[in-house]
Amino acid sequence: MSAIRLYDTMRRAKVDFEPADPKRVTMYVCGPTVYGRAHIGNARPAVVFDVLQRLLRHTYGAESVVYARNITDIDDKIMAAAVAEGVDPKVITGRYEAHYLADMGALGVQPPNIAPHATDHIPQMIAMIGGLIDRGAAYAAEEHVLFDVAAPGDYGRLSRRPLDEMIAGARVEIAPYKRNPADFVLWKPSTDDQPGWESPWGRGRPGWHIECSAMIAAHLGHTIDIHGGGLDLIFPHHENELAQSSCAHDGAPLARVWMHNGFLSMGDTKMSKSLGNVVTVDALLEQGWSGEVLRLALLSAHYRQPLAWTEDLLTQSKATLDRWQGFLRRSDVAASEVPERVIAALADDLNTPAVVAAIARLSRLDDVGGMRAAMALMGLIEPITGRVDELAPATPEATAATNIDDLVAARTAARARKDFAESDRIRDDLVEQGIILEDSAGGTTWRRA
């Protein structure tokens, strides 16, 4: 078995991954704030850490991994969206959480073991804030409670930047009641028309950072094995989580390994809702790109590297996946053990480009079983014995796959010569057989309903 090595942001190096308890490997990944549709950049951490949890389950056993990904369902942006629509904030959060889960499911992202919601953990947050005040690490001021960044003594060790630089980069809110400009909000007051909860400091709501610390402690413990998220979360979110959790738990480290994925870019700039240069997952699916193609595109670069999101990337990913799926459909070999070359690549800090190269090599070697196992581990086919609707040739449907391919090709030819009556006839024939066609700029693929 290949030893897993992961890049730890705290140590700025690859380290051997050694969970505190191999029978209970814990991982927490910061999830979405549910006020709008997820863009493809938001999907990158979901896909990356889905691959990691698959590797961990393969290594330690399916029941030995506890993976949590939270839902932030109280936030100023959520409240603004609710006001704009004239609805309760729960309408906004319920709608966009459902969209998020559907979009990630389309990308092959398995649900986490635990999906804690911030609003379900207000008592735990209030208790943690009270404990921080008792320890002298937080203070109440003008209906707010703030964390004192001087309390840990080593604030900034995760991001490793001077405090004044961090403050400038984060556009820290200046307020007269702060002892230090970098002190951050743990609790803030709510007006009568805003969501709020009663607390020792008045009716209010939690700050963003305390949410994750409280939910981690409630479900996974004071120190977890892996904490993950996007590169933009290192500061201030993860830095603040680390500081408050350590102070709340007598200096215990929040995580043994910190992992952060790189940004997606559109053109020369980071993909960001604030910049308006985003493309949502649902829009890409509506354009005809399959979830597997989007997933392969996201995994085509190493997770810590930037990834330029382009039409060429999608076209190339589709062509690659079409070759692999076509190869598998022509064979009746079931999945075998995942090849060691694939495990070694993933164990080397999730080197997914090396896995893509390994799968291509397996196809050249006619190792169908190895291909199926490797693609399943990457989440490109489900289940591990082969995707029933497209890949399992032992069934009558799979045995007829070649005939379906021929009909799809005939339909494509009919469309090319503008014989739309014949094209529609073939499509209707396939629909009667339970075949769904997916047309895109890169061609037509099919799946069973």
Side-chain angles (χ1 to χ4, degrees):
M1 180 178 69
S2 298
I4 297 177
R5 287 177 59 78
L6 301 172
Y7 186 88
D8 179 20
T9 304
M10 178 71 76
R11 286 171 278 187
R12 301 298 195 270
K14 286 184 189 179
V15 298
D16 291 333
F17 176 63
E18 298 177 353
D21 180 1
K23 295 182 179 179
R24 189 176 185 270
V25 183
T26 53
M27 181 168 74
Y28 182 96
V29 175
C30 289
T33 300
V34 282
Y35 68 94
R37 295 302 292 251
H39 62 69
I40 193 65
N42 300 142
R44 193 179 195 188
V47 170
V48 164
F49 291 104
D50 179 66
V51 172
L52 178 55
Q53 65 92 16
R54 289 169 185 259
L55 173 64
L56 294 173
R57 294 184 196 282
H58 178 87
T59 303
Y60 295 99
E63 304 303 318
S64 297
V65 177
V66 184
Y67 172 31
R69 186 188 67 212
N70 73 296
I71 297 289
T72 296
D73 58 351
I74 176 66
D75 180 87
D76 288 352
K77 292 177 181 177
I78 292 171
M79 293 189 298
V83 169
E85 291 193 25
V87 297
D88 189 275
K90 291 182 179 180
V91 174
I92 300 296
T93 58
R95 176 198 306 160
Y96 288 111
E97 180 181 357
H99 285 321
Y100 179 82
L101 295 176
D103 290 343
M104 296 309 108
L107 301 184
V109 174
Q110 296 175 336
N113 300 96
I114 306 168
H117 290 62
T119 56
D120 292 335
H121 294 79
I122 301 297
Q124 292 90 334
M125 296 176 204
I126 291 174
M128 181 173 280
I129 294 169
L132 288 169
I133 293 175
D134 292 342
R135 286 172 166 82
Y139 58 94
E142 297 187 21
E143 299 183 274
H144 291 74
V145 180
L146 297 110
F147 182 84
D148 184 351
V149 297
D154 56 0
Y155 183 76
R157 61 194 172 106
L158 180 63
S159 49
R160 293 191 184 180
R161 291 188 293 170
L163 186 56
D164 56 351
E165 182 182 316
M166 289 190 288
I167 293 172
R171 298 192 298 272
V172 169
E173 179 184 356
I174 305 299
Y177 48 79
K178 287 187 176 185
R179 295 176 183 172
N180 184 305
D183 291 352
F184 57 88
V185 172
L186 301 174
W187 190 263
K188 54 188 172 183
S190 293
T191 61
D192 291 341
D193 59 343
Q194 292 176 327
W197 292 262
E198 294 301 326
S199 80
W201 318 286
R203 182 178 179 276
R205 59 192 189 277
W208 175 33
H209 312 300
I210 196 66
E211 297 174 5
C212 287
S213 286
M215 289 186 283
I216 289 171
H219 294 282
L220 301 179
H222 293 179
T223 300
I224 60 176
D225 292 313
I226 299 170
H227 195 326
L231 194 64
D232 55 328
L233 296 182
I234 296 176
F235 185 86
H237 186 49
H238 287 172
E239 193 76 73
N240 292 350
E241 276 187 58
L242 169 63
Q244 65 199 9
S245 291
S246 180
C247 286
H249 303 134
D250 301 320
L254 178 55
R256 292 177 178 82
V257 176
W258 292 85
M259 297 179 65
H260 296 92
N261 63 272
F263 296 131
L264 256 65
S265 64
M266 294 284 282
D268 296 327
T269 57
K270 167 196 166 186
M271 189 179 293
S272 168
K273 289 180 181 177
S274 62
L275 296 176
N277 62 339
V278 300
V279 57
T280 60
V281 174
D282 64 304
L284 289 164
L285 294 170
E286 288 175 2
Q287 291 169 16
W289 301 107
S290 71
E292 293 90 347
V293 167
L294 299 180
R295 185 181 179 98
L296 180 58
L298 288 168
L299 296 174
S300 63
H302 191 274
Y303 78 93
R304 288 193 285 116
Q305 300 302 314
L307 176 62
W309 193 258
T310 66
E311 191 83 6
D312 286 345
L313 172 65
L314 292 172
T315 300
Q316 179 180 345
S317 298
K318 183 181 185 305
T320 298
L321 199 60
D322 283 349
R323 286 196 301 273
W324 292 352
Q325 291 180 338
F327 180 82
L328 295 181
R329 278 198 293 266
R330 292 191 292 271
S331 173
D332 60 358
V333 177
S336 61
E337 292 295 319
V338 181
E340 180 56 32
R341 177 188 296 264
V342 172
I343 297 298
L346 286 180
D348 182 17
D349 194 33
L350 295 186
N351 190 346
T352 55
V355 176
V356 172
I359 294 174
R361 183 173 184 270
L362 290 168
S363 70
R364 293 193 296 271
L365 296 174
D366 290 336
D367 186 352
V368 179
M371 278 188 70
R372 284 196 173 147
M375 290 175 68
L377 187 59
M378 288 277 277
L380 296 170
I381 57 173
E382 298 289 355
I384 198 165
T385 52
R387 182 167 172 159
V388 174
D389 62 359
E390 293 185 347
L391 303 174
T395 65
E397 291 83 1
T399 303
T402 300
N403 292 334
I404 294 172
D405 285 339
D406 291 342
L407 287 172
V408 171
R411 176 176 174 268
T412 299
R415 295 178 72 192
R417 64 176 183 268
K418 301 188 184 303
D419 186 353
F420 298 115
E422 176 65 4
S423 169
D424 291 345
R425 186 195 67 76
I426 295 173
R427 181 201 60 204
D428 293 342
D429 183 25
L430 289 169
V431 168
E432 289 182 3
Q433 297 180 49
I435 304 300
I436 295 175
L437 300 179
E438 296 178 344
D439 296 317
S440 71
T444 301
T445 58
W446 62 269
R447 62 183 175 85
R448 296 189 184 281

